[in-house]
Amino acid sequence: MRALLQRATGAPGGRRGKWLVLAAWLILAVALGPLAGKLGDVEDSSANAFLPGGSESARVNTELEKFRTDPIMPAVVIYTSDTGPDKDTGEGNGNDAAMNAKAAADRTAFAPFVPTGEKVSQPIPSDDGKALMTVVPLDSEDEVTDKVDELRAVAAANAPPGVAVEVGGPAASLTDSVAVFDSLDSTLMIATGLVVAALLLITYRSPVLWLFPILAVGFAAVLTQAGTYLLAKYADLPVDPQSAGVLMVLVFGVGTDYALLLIARYREELHRQEDRHTAMRIALRRSGPAVLASAGTIAAGLACLAFADINSSRSLGLVGAVGVVCAFLAMVTVLPALLVVAGRWVFWPFVPRHGTPARKPRTVWARIGNAVARRPRWSWLMSAAVTGVLALSAAGINLGLTQAEMFQDKPESVVAQERISAHYPSGASDPATIVTDSERAAEVRDSALAVPGVARVGTGDRTPDGRLATLDVMLKDAPDSRAAKDTVDALRDAVHRQGALVGGSTAEALDTQRAADRDLTTVIPIVLLVVLAVLVWLLRALVAPLLLLATVVLSYFAALGASNLLFEHVLDFAGVDWSIPLMGFVFLVALGIDYNIFLMHRVKEEAARLGHTRGVLEGLTSTGGVITSAGIVLAATFAVFAGLPLVTMAQMGVIVGIGVLLDTFLVRTVLVPALALDLGRWFWWPGRLFREPGQDRHQEPNKEDTHMLYHPI
């Protein structure tokens, strides 16, 4: 594998190879460009795309497809008045009359939006007389979001003073969620590109060099989007709006990390080699295994999400793995070719000259290394204590978000649900759905009515062949409340005896919550084993990989705890989404181990040459600047999520950003080097460096630093 990698990476640094590589990428970009723009065509935004595969609620959604060729998704229009009927006379006031007139006029205006065979319901008054509710059935296969926008325009027109009108229900909830994801791709792409460009400009302090990683990431983005589209279309790769949005951020972050590592090593070799082609070949040969191990670890870790029950988690993992592989291919081929073609001048004004020192003495990384070397055990104990204290905050985490809590700013569908819950049985706008054999429908209805928490059971539709029937179950509690979920559990117990199934949004939330718990216990052990295997292959040892894995897991819990403090006391989130612990773990273990790989690959190289102690310090000093820059870039790209309206995405960005910074500044800088120094050559047991430690020179460590002269950190 190593020999194959060396031969493959020699081409971009060759005198002819660089032109062949550039030509191949240009042809790919031109050929695949049109396909890259079609990724949205294969995105699955159906309800089942975000549900556990095989769950009862997903099976209900599948069964409902048999009922009609134009399945219905209701929108619920809620009218509320500031005052209700007079308590003494029982008569309404001016607002009530205006509300009734508005609802009647809107019912007529809504009629053209309803599919053939359906009709808009009569306005349903609330018991307190302060609200009216109209149900508008929409064809779920006929651009529901556009229809809801038109309904909202009609509802907002000529609203009388003192009367509020909102459009909610399942159709409006879908519309508001889609609106978030529609703006997600463009917002993330623009914000991420600006953040990465600014950080690269600060890092290199060159008006030219920062353009090359951005250009290489652009090639990677085209390959990623086109490859994802083709795999989704012809190999059933699951893609949903969330995974498509995260994909580009991951490509930007990981690709830039690899670019920073490669450019740092290339610049170092330019000081030693007169020929830039030779310098690039050496840089690729020496940094290639670390980049390959890093990409392999992240891709394999994300691919482990294929074992998750929740479809959206599986999509995010598999799509992310494709993005990492494409970023790796671009960074070890087109980026080196671009740099070699451009020559040394791209580093202007800090051009590396052959024969000049590549390092400057007494940098912060040399001082940190010396301080850790003086008291290694105290250093790692204090580092572990800091992360342990942060991890304690994760113990009080409040898991679970209601629909109203999923958005940082309340969309209209959430406001509508709150108004419905205030004036009607909370489940009126979003009933649970029972699918049963038609012959048992009456029996199932009686069983459902006997369940505490059920307000009303209405008849629904039948399949064209008459074999299946649906029942609409109105719950007393809000659809996303704990009480409603308990009612669904009891409802399922009651109707399963008749072979019926229970679905709907409450059932979907319940199934997702339980699947998230199962996924934690299933996926996490697989991820740990995969990452451990990669580390053992890279370091040819057992103790070092186990310790590195333990530090990253500790860092994850510290990031989870620190994030929870921010969620509660700064960002004022009501809780943490069920998907975050697993998603955060997979991303942080895969990305966090990234920097340990960069560090320990260099430490292993230097330890074989200088001995263990000097090798650890030289590795820390050599990689200090580039890994810090990479960590800041990756954390900043994920921090872009924090400004998104969807709380789940914001929480993902915060936890990954904090975790990456902890790995960069504490785990990789202090904890791992201190453990390595304290254990000595046992760190490499049972590998060659343990058996043949060489001459470990116990003299004053080298003060030189491979920190780039133009580096700001």
Side-chain angles (χ1 to χ4, degrees):
M1 174 66 74
R2 193 180 299 269
L4 178 62
L5 176 65
Q6 290 177 358
R7 287 196 298 270
T9 55
R15 297 182 183 278
R16 295 181 180 177
K18 62 180 184 290
W19 298 111
L20 294 176
V21 169
L22 285 178
W25 273 98
L26 287 172
I27 293 171
L28 274 176
V30 172
L32 298 179
L35 296 179
K38 293 184 176 182
L39 184 57
D41 296 346
V42 293
E43 290 179 9
D44 181 6
S45 58
S46 67
N48 282 1
F50 300 91
L51 293 178
S55 63
E56 184 169 341
S57 55
R59 289 163 58 198
V60 167
N61 289 337
T62 302
E63 290 295 310
L64 289 176
E65 295 176 3
K66 301 176 182 178
F67 280 77
R68 55 175 66 239
T69 56
D70 53 344
I72 296 301
M73 180 176 288
V76 179
V77 186
I78 177 74
Y79 304 83
T80 53
S81 171
D82 292 339
T83 59
D86 186 271
K87 294 182 179 179
D88 296 327
T89 66
E91 296 179 357
N93 54 33
N95 280 357
D96 296 319
M99 181 174 66
N100 290 332
K102 171 65 173 168
D106 284 354
R107 182 171 183 261
T108 302
F110 293 155
F113 302 111
V114 175
T116 303
E118 301 289 340
K119 62 181 179 179
V120 181
S121 74
Q122 291 283 352
I124 305 168
S126 63
D127 291 338
D128 61 11
K130 293 185 178 181
L132 293 173
M133 181 172 65
T134 301
V135 179
V136 184
L138 300 176
D139 186 343
S140 64
E141 297 181 351
D142 185 24
E143 301 295 338
V144 169
T145 58
D146 292 340
K147 296 293 186 184
V148 169
D149 289 338
E150 294 176 23
L151 286 177
R152 284 174 169 168
V154 171
N158 302 317
V163 176
V165 187
E166 284 87 23
V167 179
S173 296
L174 174 64
T175 299
D176 291 335
S177 297
V178 169
V180 171
F181 287 114
D182 279 346
S183 63
L184 185 65
D185 289 348
S186 58
T187 301
L188 285 179
M189 283 290 288
I190 294 171
T192 303
L194 291 175
V195 167
V196 170
L199 289 174
L200 288 176
L201 189 59
I202 294 171
T203 298
Y204 292 127
R205 288 192 261 180
S206 167
V208 179
L209 184 56
W210 68 275
L211 291 169
F212 286 77
I214 294 293
L215 185 58
V217 167
F219 278 107
V222 172
L223 180 62
T224 299
Q225 290 187 320
T228 304
Y229 167 77
L230 292 173
L231 289 172
K233 188 172 181 64
Y234 299 107
D236 295 326
L237 177 70
V239 181
D240 60 53
Q242 176 179 278
S243 61
V246 174
L247 178 61
M248 286 299 97
V249 174
L250 188 63
V251 171
F252 261 93
V254 172
T256 305
D257 274 7
Y258 298 156
L260 287 166
L261 182 69
L262 175 63
I263 291 173
R265 198 63 186 255
Y266 174 52
R267 187 183 192 283
E268 189 176 329
E269 294 302 328
L270 285 174
H271 284 277
R272 298 170 180 159
Q273 307 295 330
E274 185 173 3
D275 182 23
R276 67 182 188 276
H277 300 87
T278 303
M280 180 57 76
R281 285 195 295 269
I282 295 174
L284 281 169
R285 186 168 65 248
R286 292 182 176 176
S287 62
V291 176
L292 174 62
S294 170
T297 302
I298 298 174
L302 292 176
C304 290
L305 285 170
F307 295 97
D309 283 341
I310 300 176
N311 290 332
S312 57
S313 298
R314 190 157 55 248
S315 171
L316 184 59
L318 295 174
V319 169
V322 172
V324 171
V325 171
C326 293
F328 164 76
L329 292 174
M331 293 306 141
V332 297
T333 54
V334 69
L335 177 62
L338 288 169
L339 291 171
V340 173
V341 167
R344 296 173 184 262
W345 69 270
V346 297
F347 292 93
W348 184 87
F350 304 100
V351 179
R353 307 293 182 185
H354 173 240
T356 60
R359 310 173 182 180
K360 61 180 181 180
R362 304 298 298 172
T363 65
V364 64
W365 306 110
R367 290 194 293 270
I368 290 174
N370 290 334
V372 171
R374 282 193 293 270
R375 301 184 67 181
R377 185 163 301 174
W378 182 89
S379 297
W380 72 258
L381 284 174
M382 289 300 99
S383 300
V386 170
T387 51
V389 168
L390 289 174
L392 290 176
S393 300
I397 195 169
N398 178 30
L399 285 175
L401 294 172
T402 66
Q403 182 67 24
E405 295 164 349
M406 291 294 291
F407 299 90
Q408 299 206 54
D409 297 316
K410 288 183 182 179
E412 185 173 338
S413 60
V414 171
V415 176
Q417 179 56 50
E418 290 176 346
R419 294 188 185 277
I420 292 169
S421 298
H423 299 284
Y424 295 86
S426 296
S429 67
D430 195 2
T433 301
I434 297 177
V435 176
T436 181
D437 289 338
S438 298
E439 297 176 353
R440 295 185 174 182
E443 182 183 353
V444 171
R445 183 177 184 275
D446 292 340
S447 297
L449 281 171
V451 174
V454 172
R456 187 165 65 243
V457 179
T459 57
D461 297 326
R462 290 176 180 262
T463 53
D465 60 8
R467 293 183 56 235
L468 298 177
T470 62
L471 299 173
D472 296 326
V473 182
M474 184 186 297
L475 307 180
K476 294 179 180 178
D477 302 291
D480 49 13
S481 65
R482 177 68 263 176
K485 293 175 184 176
D486 292 339
T487 301
V488 167
D489 266 335
L491 188 61
R492 283 174 167 174
D493 290 340
V495 304
H496 280 177
R497 290 189 290 269
Q498 288 88 31
L501 300 174
V502 179
S505 64
T506 305
E508 291 171 358
L510 182 63
D511 291 341
T512 300
Q513 173 184 330
R514 289 176 175 164
D517 290 338
R518 289 195 301 271
D519 288 347
L520 278 172
T521 58
T522 302
V523 176
I524 285 179
I526 298 173
V527 172
L528 293 176
L529 288 174
V530 168
V531 172
L532 180 63
V534 175
L535 289 174
V536 169
W537 168 79
L538 178 70
L539 300 178
R540 303 295 195 272
L542 186 59
V543 171
L546 287 171
L547 286 175
L548 293 177
L549 201 58
T551 62
V552 173
V553 172
L554 179 61
S555 175
Y556 160 73
F557 283 107
L560 188 62
S563 300
N564 189 44
L565 292 175
L566 285 177
F567 297 156
E568 285 187 11
H569 303 295
V570 179
L571 300 175
D572 199 27
F573 293 154
V576 177
D577 187 70
W578 286 101
S579 65
I580 292 300
L582 178 61
M583 294 295 98
F585 180 86
V586 172
F587 270 89
L588 281 181
V589 169
L591 295 173
I593 208 70
D594 210 27
Y595 302 120
N596 283 331
I597 287 175
F598 292 163
L599 170 65
M600 297 314 300
H601 181 265
R602 187 62 180 261
V603 166
K604 181 185 176 187
E605 178 184 329
E606 299 296 345
R609 185 171 64 91
L610 301 172
H612 178 72
T613 301
R614 285 281 303 281
V616 171
L617 296 179
E618 183 71 8
L620 175 61
T621 303
S622 301
T623 60
V626 64
I627 293 181
T628 300
S629 298
I632 292 173
V633 169
L634 188 60
T637 55
F638 273 91
V640 172
F641 286 143
L644 296 178
L646 202 62
V647 169
T648 304
M649 303 293 283
Q651 290 180 339
M652 171 69 77
V654 170
I655 191 172
V656 173
I658 290 177
V660 167
L661 291 177
L662 281 173
D663 283 324
T664 302
F665 288 102
L666 185 61
V667 174
R668 183 267 313 174
T669 303
V670 179
L671 182 55
V672 170
L675 283 169
L677 291 170
D678 195 23
L679 285 174
R681 66 188 183 92
W682 282 93
F683 188 75
W684 304 105
W685 185 88
R688 183 176 61 84
L689 287 177
F690 169 77
R691 299 190 306 271
E692 303 172 10
Q695 184 180 1
D696 198 354
R697 304 165 189 176
H698 297 286
Q699 60 195 45
E700 182 67 18
N702 193 345
K703 308 294 187 187
E704 292 183 336
D705 182 49
T706 58
H707 195 52
M708 296 170 285
L709 294 177
Y710 50 81
H711 209 290
I713 299 175

